[in-house]
Structure formats: structure tokens, C-alpha cells
Amino acid sequence: MDGVYLSIVLAPLVGALVAGLWGRQIGRRGAQSVTILGVGIAFGLSVWVFWAHVFGGAPVYNETVYTWLVSDGIRFEIGFLVDNLTALMMLVVTFVSLMVHIYTIGYMRDDPGYQRFFSYISLFTFAMLMLVMANNFLQLFFGWEAVGLVSYLLIGFWHQRPSAVHANLKAFIVNRVGDFGFILGIAALVLYTGTLDYAATFAQVEGLREAQVPLWAGYETSLLTLACILLFIGAMGKSAQVPLHVWLPDSMEGPTPISALIHAATMVTAGIFMVARLSPLFEASPTTLSVILIIGALSAFFMGLLGLVQHDIKRVVAFSTLSQLGYMTVALGASAYAAGLFHLMTHAFFKALLFLAAGSVIIAMHHEQDMRRMGGLWRVMPITYVTALIGALALIGFPGMSGFFSKDAIIEAVALSTLPGAGFAYVLILAGVFVTALYTFRMIFMVFHQPPGTRSTSSADDHHAQLASHDHTHDHHHAQPELRTPDAERVLRAPSHTPHESPPVVTIPLILLAIPSVLAGLVVGPLLFGDFFDGVLTVDPARDVLAQLGESYSGIGGFILHGLMMPPVWLALSGVALAWLLYLHRPHWPGVIAARLRWVQAVLLRQYGFDAFNAKVLAGGSVALGRLLWRVGDRTVIDGWLVNGSARSIGALAQRIRRLQSGYLYHYAFAMILGLLIFGLMLW
Amino acid sequence: MSEAVVLNLVLWLPVVGALLIPLLPRERDAPVYTLAFAVMLVQLLLVIWLFVRFESGVSGLQFATQIPWIAAWGVAYHIGLDGLNLLLVLLTALLGPLVVAGAVRTITHSVKLFYAMLLVLQFAMLGTFLAQNLFLFYLFWEAMLIPMFLIIGIWGGERRIYATVKFVLYTAFGSIFMLVAVIYLGLAAHAAQGAPSFAFSDLYALELALPVQTLLLLAFTLAFLIKIPSIPLHTWLPDAHVEAPSPGSVMLAGVLLKMGAYGFLKLGLPMLPEAAKLFTPVLMSLAVASIIYGALLAWVQDDIKKIVAYSSISHMGYVMLGLLSYELLGIQGAIMQMVSHGLISAGLFFMVGMLYERTHHRELAVFGGLAKWMPVYALFFMLLALASVGLPTTSGFTGEFLVLLGAFYGAWPAFVQGESHYALILASLAVLGVILGALYMLRLVRRLLFGPAQAPGGQPADLSRRERMILATLVLAIFTLGIYPKPFLHKTEQAALDYQRLLLEPTPAQEGL
């Protein structure tokens, strides 16, 4: 098996290197072929690995590939841990990646950075696989940083655009803030356990829990809780949880395929995966679980609300991703790790689908992303419409769709949870269901159904556009013509072109993603209530809410029937109904409501002021401190007073001393007598 | 035996090269740099051979030569390799040919003198690392100043005289105190053993009273902190870098800055262990303050060279932090961080120089979007910047990660026992450097490489083959140390362990108490 696992990881890496280093030589076709081949191999082998582990009963694989370093008794290694969780993640990552590779042929067709783009997304696939297959913290951190790096490169892919290079810098820095916690968390664990290996760390969880560390005078906490909270800060950075979520909306500056692959389906779920992978640690720290519950619930509800006021189609989907990541986080907090992972999987399919569908719309609209300029597209792009509708229904949790099962399981699990904060979380995520349906179908109706030209983008709405700090993706096409992407240039030359359905390289991935978006929910039984995650996830029996749910589980039909009687479905349907009312039936109402609740709208458009706070207080403060230290510390005190000052004072002193040598005998005689007197006084 | 001969050859080859240069024809430059390059390349190959032959797991010197020189003072010509200097010698030898190759277009006048000085500098730097006798060490230490002084003073920028004077005064100020300490140690060794000696091994065995140790440590610390440089003794560095020609900057950042840390490693800490322990909190605070101060100042600079210069102050803070952890991880990390910083800052200064040759500008404000015009330049700059940020698979990560782990290991016992939070807080603050490092480096990348393309005088040409070879060599070394550091750190492990023992084992004097 060694060879198989190594091939899965290395095939995309080889593709990335070939396309990246020799892109000019092998050309566009060469680059796309070699990277798709690499990812295709990884996908095919991942299917085989999944089959072998889940159905073939292959034993858990936990081996070292090579030893990076041995020092002070600590082994730093690169190694793979492959069990059912890894196999599932490998399947999801390589499948979505393959779809995105194919889709890219169509989406990036006219981009001069074609080979570079393929190189990056293959490199990303390699890094993400390294992350999920890690059997130790060192490699986890390697993968963690590597996916962050590729995300940075891809957000700034169109590096001539100032907004894109602002967004990628922001993403990197915010993730580094998360890494700050992550490194401290790993250090806290290694200090006690003396190992970076997962299994060896899990074996010492009791000791970690009992080890008390003095935080400050008179207050002690368990080392485990400290480490888990620090690790979770890392997860908050990567999985964009409040308040480290600020980078994800801006990451939409990158091309749409990577929004689907990295900023929806895979990388942003790394934090969720990490917590689930380390469930033996987190499970032993209920305090951390409560923190996770509350952070997740806040993200799930408040980030969803922001989706209601966005006009950029990609940003609506982005805020939806933030909200759904919140749901996954809540599941982790409620000890329903399997439900969180289940939602991770279904979300990967339907959110990648929604992003790629949005990309298809954007191509058809000639890189127009403002939903107010869209409408009636369902007629001209039937495949995109149907697949987007499937994605939307899955997202809102329409009964029978994949998202229904995973989201329902999370909500029910939180309802059963007895941890502090669970009640609060339950209310927020329930309300979030309504909000999700509202913004999702607002988008569907505005893009596909409203009569074209219903909504003017001027007047009151323009005011909002100015308020939104980064609603400028399309603005650049107008304001700074030299910064246009080549696609946009091509399109602007033919403004009268009417929208039409996208080519097969775009629609086939949509169809292939739509299938699991509908069907993936059917595995709910084995995944949540069966033995799929046995031996992988650790859950305290006293808190095992999924086991409680499982007692009443009686098959798919029963689950759906049960769901129909619960509030989430009805909240979702009323959200859809309200969206229909506001955006199709009475399209002038949203404007009226916005005018009445101007301050609410202002708060939402400013995204609760996180960006402003970060820019003014944190970044501004640090720069001011740096300037102050530069001007006062380096220039004035050290150079001014000490260095140049001492040179001046020595010069001045020398001037004085020189005057003593006056040449007059009585001066010298006086000095001698004075000296003798002082000497005599000292002796006496 | 033959290895010892080779090691001597390595040390003296540059001198032979420097003596041959005046014999070359006057009118053409090519033979001059060809000779210098050949000398450096042969030296590098010999060092690689020695590195391969170097046995791991063995304590003490290897390939040593010891010849009495001034017997009456106990001065001997005593050189050798051990785990502490092995990687630094390798680094110095690697940078040698690259600097010659990089200087070809930069240095256009007094060519012969320049390459002679470069070779003399190489000799003095290698001598400092290899010396196993304090007196010899001091001679090489001071000898380094002269060629560096001339390189900045003759081939430097507009304010080169101010920068050289500042550089020389700063270092001479530190050196005077160091000289006093060196003489005192020699006398003390004479008194203790009845025979004069400056051999490091004899000096390690000295048992000095704590007040004496403290005074000596202060003298050494002053000299070493200036060289590292640590705040508040760092202001010579940005000026020296800005005015130095780019080969000078490369040598300064790549090797010379390592001298201060190597001084602590080789003499300051192991010779005066009790005083060192007493002052560890102070020195550690300075190290962490340097990390943060350097990073914040790098963030607000507008001259690209100053950004890299201040980043050096920040990165060298990690070296000190690692050394002062007294943990194997920290010491190994410090050695790795020295080599890593040598490679990365050398690469960055090369790249700033390459840009300066094309545009005659170094201010960040006049550049933008170079990724469009110079994709190969952008690729290399990006790789070096990421290594500087400390991303995994680069040497920057290996060094920083080990240093931070070591710092936590060192701080942990006192924290858990509730004795002191101080070291742990310092270690945690040092992790802030991870965020700040990304801030200033990516700001530089963003302004220089991204955004709308602009440069003074229009589109600059992308890198030539010569320039690509220089940078590719450095990048290859950076990734090798990041992806597979084991073979390298394996060779230094025994020396680091012995060194740790010198620091931590109670001396007989203490046991008696």
C-alpha cells in the first residue's frame, strides 16, 4: 500500500511541477493534460483506497515515509495515517479537485496565466492530501501552511488588480494569526508528551487533562484545555470562524474555480477536519467544546445574515460558506463529529456545485458578477439553472437532498447536547436555517427568474455599493481599464453578445457534482449511526448525542418523515416563500424595507465593522508603533543621542580638555597643588 | 591526516588567490574574476568533501591542525572543524563563488583590489570560524573588519563614508572591551595552569569567580551584540547595508552577522556559564525585543535594502533565543537559523542588487507589478520571501520551528512549577514574529511584484542565466535544509550536546559549595 499512498500524493505534485516549471515549453494543452492526469491518478487510487478500507476491511495504515529530523528524543517525521476518515477526505478532495481541473479548461480558456493556474491547483491538491493524510503534527502543520500558501497565490492570481493583492495579503495574515495559536497549541502538547505523533499523543490524554498549568496568579487550567483552545484558534483561521473570518469574503477576488475548490469545498474545511481528527483530545476538554459551540453558532447565524445584502453573486455564496462552516463547527462542539464531517462532505459537493454554477453564470454574463444586472437566465442556460437549483435545495436542506440529512443531524444533535452554550447555539442555528433559505433563493430568483432589468443598480442601491467596503470586483473593469483580465477585454469588445449556455467542459462537472449533491445524504445511516467512524472518532459516552439520535433511526424514509415534522424544514420553506415574495412577487419591497431599516443595512454592509476595526486599530496601530520606534528609537535616541551624540560630546570634551593645557606655569602648579590636597584629604 | 591538510588548504587558498591577483594583466577584468571564482569554487568543493568526511556522533575537533606559534604567550595556530562551525564553514564556502559571480557586473572600478579584498575577507571569516585558540580567533575577528571597511568605503553608495565610519566605530568599540577580556582570560589561564595558553579547551576548564565572569561576559556581550546586531546596538547595520555594494551586503548579511552569535556559542556562554545563566533573562529579553522591534521597523521602511536589513535583526533574534534556551532543540535550531538566514538574506540582497543594477533605484514606491515584466525574477523573489517568512519545506521553517520549540522546552519547567512565567511569555512573544514576519515580507512582495507594473526607466530585463544560476543554487540549498534537515543537523548534534553539557553541568567549584 505504501506505493499507492505515495502515488496519490506525488501524482498531483509532479503535475504541478511540470506545468509550473515547463509551462511555456509544454503549452496549454500539455499543462492541462499533465495536471489532469496527475489528479486523475490520485482520484482513481483514492477510490480504490476508499473501497479497500470501507468495504474490503483493509487495516488502518499508520507508517512513516521518512524521518525529517531526530533531536532531543523527538522524532520529526513525515508519515501517513489512512483510516476511514482519511479515505473519505481523500475521495472528496480528489473528486472535487478533478471536477475543478476540468471546469478550469473552460473558465480560464483565455487567461494568459493558464499553465500557472493549473500548476497552482494541482499543487493545492498535493498540499491538501498531505494535510489529511498526516499521522503527526509536523506534517499537519506542513500541509496547513502549504494550502494557505497556495490559497494566497490563487487569491492574488490576477496580481495586477490591487483588490486581489490586498485580499491575498489579508488572507495570509489572518491565517498567520490563526497559526500563532496553532503553533502554541502544538508546542503545548509536545512539551508534555515529547512526541509529535497523533497516536502517541492520544495515549497520554489522561495525563494532559490532569496536568494543571498556572495561567496567572491563583488561576489554573488543564494543559489539555489550553492546548485545545490554542489549536482551535488555528482552526478558526483556516475555517474562517468569527472573528478570524474576515479574509474569506475577500478571497472571492480569486478566479471562481478556486473559490469552489479551496474556499468552499476543501481548504476551509481543514479546521473542521483537524478537530475531528484530534477528537480524542477535544473530547476530553468540555470547556473547549463549549467555546467551539458558541463560536460556530455565532458564525452560522451572523455570517448568514450578511449574505442577505450582497449583490455580488460570488460573495453571496461566500457568506453562505462562512455560515455553513459555522454549522460544521457547531457539530464538533456538540461532540457530533461524524455529523460535522458528514456536513463537510455534502457541503463540499453542493457548495462546489453552487460556485461552479455561479462561475458558469459569470462566463455567460461576460464576467459580470452583480446579480442586479442578471435575470431570466433559466431559459438560456438550462443545465446551469437546474444544477444550481439542485445545489440551492441541498444548501437549504430541502427534504431528501444531501444537505437535509447533514444539517438536520447537526440541529438535532445540538438540541440533545447538554454542554453549556448548547441552548444558545440551538436557537442561532435554527434561525440560521431560515436565513440560509432566504439568501439562497434570493440569489436563485434574482439570477434566473427576475425579468432582466428589474433592478436598477443606480439610485439607492449605489449608495449601498459605496458602503460595502469591497464590492468592487466589477468596478475595476470600468474604472481601471488597463487592469482588466483578458477575459473581460475580450468580452467588452462584444457588448451585444447575448448570454448562452456554457460549453461541456463547464457543464459536465456541474452535472457530476449535482449527482452527489442529491444522493450523498443516503449514506446517513452508516456514516452517523453505523460503524464507519469506529476507532477513528472518540466520543465520551455521556455526550454521545449521535448515539441517542441513532436509537430512533429507522432508515432513510423514517429520517425524512421525522424531519418533515421538525421546525428546520418549515423554516427553510418559509425562507424560500419570503424570498419569492420579496424578489419575484413584490420586487420593490426590499428597497422599501432597506430604507426603513437603514441602520441595520449599514451594519450588515459594513460586516459588523470587523474590517474597519482591523484596519484602523490593529494594522494602523502596529504601523504607527513601527513608525514611532523608527523615528524616536532608532533615529533620535540611538543614532541622535548615543551614536552621533557621543561623537559630539567627545569632541566637545576634547575641546575643554585642550584648554587646560594653557602653557602657563602657574596653571599647572595650581593643578598640582589641588591634586595633592585632594590626595591628602583622601588619605586622611 | 589528509583531511587536516585539506582544511588548511581551504583556509589559505583565498590568500594564495589574493596574492596572485596583482600578477594578472592590468588591462582586462575577466582573468581577475575568473581566478577569484576558480579559487572560491575549489574551496567550496573541498569543503563539501570535508563535510561528507565529517563524522557524526564524535565529540571534539576533527581534521585539526595545531602548531605552536608564540609559545611564550600560549598562542598556537590551531584550527579544526567541529559540529558548531561545520555548517557555518559550509555556508561561507557556498556563498564565496556566488558572490564572485554576482559581483561581475556590479564592480566596475578598482576590480583587482575588490576581488583581492573579497578573498581576504573570505580568509578572515573562515579563520574566525575555524580558530580553536582565542588569540587566533581575535586576530581573525579583527582582520575581517579591514576588507569589509574597504568594500563599503570604496565601492559603496553616496553616504558610504558615514556608513563605514559608523560601522568601524561601532565594532571597534565592542572589540576593545573584547580585547581586554581576551587578555584577562589568557592571564587567568596562565595563573591556573602554570603555563600560558589561549586554547579554547583550556579556557573552558577555567573556574572563574562569578564577579569576574560577569565583567568578562559584559565585555564579550557588548562586542557580540553589536555584531549580531541586537537592539539597541543595531543602527550601524541598516546604514552599512544601504551603502554597501550588493556583494558586500551579501557577505555582511550572509556571514558577518553570524559572528556575534557564533561568539556567544563558542566563547561567551560556555566559558562563563554561571554569569551567562545569571544574564540569560536579560539577553533573552533583548533577543525577543530584537525579533519584534526589527520586524516592526522592517514594516515601515521604504528602502528595499533597509527592509531586508531590519528583517536580519529580527531573524538573528531567533538565533539568540535558541542559544539561550540551553535546550538541544534550541541550539540545533539556532545553528540552522544562522545558516538559513545566511542563505535567505544573501539571496534577497543579491536580488535587490540585481534590481538596482537595472534601474538604479531601491525605493519601494517607484516599483510595482514586476511579476508581469520579470516573471523569473518574481518567482525567485517569492521563493526567498516565503523562506524568510518561515514557510514549511524551507530552511527558514526548520530554524524558526526548532528555536521556538527549544525556547518553550527551556521555559516550561519554571512555568509549570509556578516559579516564573517570564521565559514562557518571552517564548510566546517570539511566536508573534511569525505574524510580523509575514506582514513586512508580504508587504514588500505586494508592492514590488504585484499591482500595476511600473519601474523607473521602463521595463527592466528579466534575469540573465548567470543570475538565475546564483539564485537557483541558494534556493536549492534553502529547500534541501527545509525538506530534509536530518543529514545536516545529525552532524552537529554531538557538538550541540557537548556544548549543552558545558553550560548545564555544574562545575567542580559549584559542586564544592
Side-chain angles (χ1 to χ4, degrees), chain B residues 17-297:
Chain B
L19 291 176
L20 285 177
I21 283 182
L23 306 180
L24 293 171
R26 182 181 299 249
E27 54 283 352
R28 282 171 55 232
D29 295 343
V32 182
Y33 55 71
T34 310
L35 175 77
F37 185 78
V39 167
M40 296 284 202
L41 193 65
V42 171
Q43 186 188 46
L44 172 62
L45 294 175
L46 294 178
V47 169
I48 291 175
W49 185 74
L50 288 175
F51 175 79
V52 173
R53 304 280 298 175
F54 188 88
E55 267 183 73
S56 51
V58 179
S59 290
L61 290 179
Q62 297 188 27
F63 321 145
T65 308
Q66 189 169 9
I67 303 164
W69 180 19
I70 314 174
W73 294 0
V75 177
Y77 171 76
H78 187 188
I79 61 165
L81 279 176
D82 63 9
L84 301 182
N85 62 20
L86 178 69
L87 292 186
L88 292 168
V89 169
L90 192 60
L91 168 73
T92 311
L94 178 69
L95 290 182
L98 299 183
V99 168
V100 174
V104 169
R105 297 263 178 282
T106 315
I107 303 302
T108 46
H109 69 91
S110 321
V111 173
K112 280 184 166 184
L113 183 63
F114 178 82
Y115 287 101
M117 284 304 111
L118 207 56
L119 288 166
V120 171
L121 180 65
Q122 185 82 352
F123 166 69
M125 293 190 304
L126 283 172
T128 314
F129 286 135
L130 292 173
Q132 302 299 330
N133 183 294
L134 183 56
F135 197 89
L136 193 65
F137 177 88
Y138 186 78
L139 286 183
F140 279 123
W141 176 276
E142 292 298 313
M144 280 185 308
L145 260 183
I146 300 157
M148 200 65 224
F149 170 77
L150 292 176
I151 286 175
I152 302 177
I154 297 178
W155 295 275
E158 280 169 25
R159 293 176 72 231
R160 58 180 182 268
I161 299 304
Y162 173 75
T164 19
V165 169
K166 203 169 171 183
F167 169 62
V168 168
L169 282 184
Y170 250 112
T171 23
F173 179 67
S175 298
I176 287 170
F177 289 94
M178 186 172 155
L179 180 62
V180 174
V182 168
I183 293 169
Y184 183 91
L185 279 169
L187 294 175
H190 195 159
Q193 299 175 332
S197 172
F198 278 101
F200 278 137
S201 48
D202 291 334
L203 299 178
Y204 291 151
L206 281 179
E207 289 152 25
L208 299 166
L210 188 57
V212 176
Q213 284 200 18
T214 307
L215 282 175
L216 292 176
L217 186 76
L218 284 179
F220 278 129
T221 300
L222 205 57
F224 297 156
L225 286 187
I226 287 172
K227 281 267 175 173
I228 284 177
S230 163
I231 66 162
L233 302 169
H234 63 278
T235 59
W236 64 270
L237 184 78
D239 284 318
H241 269 311
V242 166
E243 298 308 322
S246 73
S249 283
V250 169
M251 274 305 181
L252 189 58
V255 187
L256 253 69
L257 294 193
K258 310 297 164 304
M259 294 302 172
Y262 182 72
F264 272 114
L265 185 69
K266 191 77 187 175
L267 24 137
L269 303 177
M271 240 171 243
L272 314 159
E274 280 91 43
K277 252 164 273 173
L278 198 65
F279 278 88
T280 298
V282 180
L283 292 175
M284 220 179 205
S285 312
L286 280 179
V288 173
S290 293
I291 292 175
I292 293 172
Y293 190 97
L296 281 175
L297 263 70

Side-chain angles (χ1 to χ4, degrees), chain A residues 139-163:
Chain A
Q139 189 181 329
L140 177 70
F141 190 68
F142 266 46
W144 195 264
E145 293 293 286
V147 290
L149 165 67
V150 189
S151 161
Y152 165 80
L153 292 172
L154 281 167
I155 296 171
F157 185 77
W158 288 316
H159 54 70
Q160 306 277 99
R161 277 193 204 172
S163 56

Side-chain angles (χ1 to χ4, degrees), chain A residues 66 68 159 176 622 634 639, chain B residues 166 234-235 293 310 451 482-483:
Chain A
Y66 78 92
W68 189 72
H159 54 70
R176 277 261 139 170
S622 309
D634 262 35
D639 272 1
Chain B
K166 203 169 171 183
H234 63 278
T235 59
Y293 190 97
Y310 276 104
I483 293 172

Side-chain angles (χ1 to χ4, degrees), chain A residues 322-387:
Chain A
L322 282 170
S323 165
Q324 297 306 307
L325 286 167
Y327 277 91
M328 296 175 213
T329 309
V330 167
L332 301 175
S335 297
Y337 303 99
L341 291 169
F342 184 34
H343 197 53
L344 184 164
M345 178 185 79
T346 58
H347 177 260
F349 296 134
F350 67 68
K351 191 52 68 65
L353 171 60
L354 276 176
F355 260 121
L356 295 188
S360 175
V361 169
I362 292 170
I363 305 173
M365 297 298 293
H366 316 304
H367 288 257
E368 173 59 69
Q369 298 183 196
D370 193 325
M371 297 194 296
R372 288 167 299 186
R373 295 169 209 251
M374 301 176 185
L377 289 179
W378 71 276
R379 245 180 245 283
V380 285
M381 345 183 36
I383 302 176
T384 303
Y385 170 64
V386 171
T387 51

